[in-house]
Amino acid sequence: MYEDKTLVCKECGAEFVFTAGEQEFYASKGFVNEPQRCKACRDARKNGAKQTREMYTTVCAACGKEARVPFQPREDRPVYCSECFAKMKEEQ
């Protein structure tokens, strides 16, 4: 029913194949438009939208090991490494 189509990426101008399987998948999801970007450009676009988190280094309040956390630690609250945090959650 579906046949492979060769499309041109609107981002980089490279040709890419829109396979019969992909067309069937698009149809099953109700998508009516063909993809406009090749896989590499789609992936680059997806990854470009993600913001990298700033990580902070601190000392675990339970074991004393170094811990990296995605928030600014405060002096009035304990911070735990991932192992100690997981142990605490299991105990609850």
Side-chain angles (χ1 to χ4, degrees), residues 50-87:
K50 292 180 185 176
Q51 294 180 355
T52 55
R53 280 184 150 179
E54 184 177 352
M55 298 295 280
Y56 299 90
T57 303
T58 187
V59 176
C60 176
C63 69
K65 285 196 254 177
E66 183 178 286
R68 293 190 39 84
V69 294
F71 56 87
Q72 177 73 52
R74 296 184 350 205
E75 296 294 324
D76 62 331
R77 308 257 340 230
V79 177
Y80 303 100
C81 66
S82 55
E83 288 132 17
C84 291
F85 186 75
K87 284 180 195 172

Side-chain angles (χ1 to χ4, degrees), residues 14-59:
E15 289 186 349
F16 65 98
V17 178
F18 186 34
T19 66
E22 290 171 331
Q23 292 174 50
E24 192 172 337
F25 173 77
Y26 272 53
S28 72
K29 295 292 184 184
F31 300 148
V32 292
N33 297 325
E34 295 176 341
Q36 297 192 10
R37 291 177 178 84
C38 64
K39 174 102 172 95
C41 288
R42 285 196 312 265
D43 290 345
R45 190 173 163 97
K46 258 188 241 178
N47 292 335
K50 292 180 185 176
Q51 294 180 355
T52 55
R53 280 184 150 179
E54 184 177 352
M55 298 295 280
Y56 299 90
T57 303
T58 187
V59 176

